[in-house]
């Protein structure tokens, strides 16, 4: 159920055959927003469309294979019913087994599709959300301080002011009393 909900939310699966393309566009727009990222948005949408097409192609293959296999097994059972009695319950039970097996295969398809969407989101959308508040030089200075003070990464007030001057930032920008240098280094590098 959770996989189905995610596929619906991402626009991969939907009531229409092509998947929820409107939902996919809405998800992409909600995740990004800036006009300067239109190239990345178009790349994201193209790859999401590709995932959607692969998902629906594979889903159709599984449904077709399930129907063909079910028909084959039912024909075999009908042939065998000439030599031994086969009850309708037995046929129903076999069809149920086949459908459960193919349902588990479909579940694997849904899971791998969800994983592909999550990887796509992390590559395109989440990467744009990361902010770089500090210059490369400032990050290097803060990293150097952090690694040279691993035993006590909390800078004193004087050290904070000195680091802020070296990095050309204010104390409240990142070397404040509530933020440790380790947090600054790991969050902004």
């Amino acid at each position: 159920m959770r996989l189905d909900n995610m596929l619906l939310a991402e626009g991969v699966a939907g009531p229409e055959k092509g998947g929820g393309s409107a939902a996919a566009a809405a998800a992409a727009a909600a995740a990004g927003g800036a006009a300067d990222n239109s190239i990345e948005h178009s790349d994201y949408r193209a790859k999401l469309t590709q995932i959607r097409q692969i998902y629906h192609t594979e889903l159709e293959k599984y449904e077709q294979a399930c129907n063909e296999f079910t028909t084959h097994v039912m024909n075999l059972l009908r042939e065998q019913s000439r030599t031994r009695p086969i009850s309708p319950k037995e046929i129903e039970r076999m069809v149920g087994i086949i459908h459960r097996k193919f349902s588990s295969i479909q579940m694997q398809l849904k899971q791998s599709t969800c994983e592909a969407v999550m990887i796509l989101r992390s590559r395109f959308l989440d990467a744009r959300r990361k902010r770089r508040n500090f210059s490369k030089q400032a990050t290097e200075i803060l990293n150097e301080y952090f690694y040279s003070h691993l035993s006590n990464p909390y800078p004193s007030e004087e050290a904070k002011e000195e680091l802020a001057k070296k990095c050309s930032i204010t104390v409240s920008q990142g070397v404040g009393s509530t933020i440790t240098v380790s947090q600054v280094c790991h969050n902004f590098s």
Side-chain angles (χ1 to χ4, degrees):
M1 188 67 175
R2 288 173 55 191
L3 294 174
D4 292 329
N5 289 340
M6 181 185 173
L7 292 173
L8 281 170
E10 292 298 328
V12 174
E16 68 274 2
K17 195 67 174 170
S21 55
D36 59 351
N37 293 323
S38 62
I39 293 172
E40 287 184 27
H41 268 312
S42 63
D43 288 345
Y44 171 78
R45 282 192 296 267
K47 296 221 184 282
L48 187 61
T49 300
Q50 187 179 18
I51 290 171
R52 185 182 309 113
Q53 290 169 345
I54 292 169
Y55 171 76
H56 285 288
T57 302
E58 292 298 312
L59 194 60
E60 285 177 19
K61 285 180 189 176
Y62 291 142
E63 288 172 359
Q64 184 179 358
C66 181
N67 291 335
E68 288 175 3
F69 191 70
T70 301
T71 303
H72 178 69
V73 167
M74 289 178 69
N75 288 337
L76 285 174
L77 289 172
R78 280 189 201 112
E79 283 181 31
Q80 285 185 358
S81 69
R82 293 180 191 152
T83 58
R84 69 175 179 95
I86 297 177
S87 69
K89 264 193 171 180
E90 194 174 349
I91 293 173
E92 193 176 305
R93 187 178 68 83
M94 288 302 292
V95 169
I97 291 170
I98 293 168
H99 285 265
R100 280 194 298 277
K101 294 291 183 185
F102 276 92
S103 289
S104 68
I105 293 171
Q106 284 183 354
M107 188 65 68
Q108 291 172 352
L109 171 66
K110 289 177 182 180
Q111 191 168 7
S112 65
T113 303
C114 286
E115 289 170 4
V117 170
M118 293 306 293
I119 290 168
L120 180 68
R121 286 184 67 81
S122 70
R123 282 192 187 148
F124 281 92
L125 304 178
D126 296 342
R128 285 196 308 246
R129 290 189 191 139
K130 290 183 180 176
R131 295 185 343 208
R132 290 197 146 255
N133 286 352
F134 303 127
S135 66
K136 186 176 180 180
Q137 181 184 6
T139 302
E140 288 174 4
I141 292 168
L142 292 170
N143 279 331
E144 183 181 321
Y145 179 88
F146 172 70
Y147 289 117
S148 63
H149 294 85
L150 281 174
S151 60
N152 184 17
Y154 300 93
S156 65
E157 292 301 318
E158 298 83 32
K160 289 177 196 175
E161 290 177 23
E162 187 180 327
L163 283 168
K165 283 180 189 174
K166 282 184 183 178
C167 296
S168 300
I169 60 174
T170 65
V171 172
S172 62
Q173 268 185 296
V175 208
S177 59
T178 59
I179 299 177
T180 67
V181 175
S182 65
Q183 290 170 322
V184 170
C185 294
H186 292 294
N187 288 337
F188 299 108
S189 60

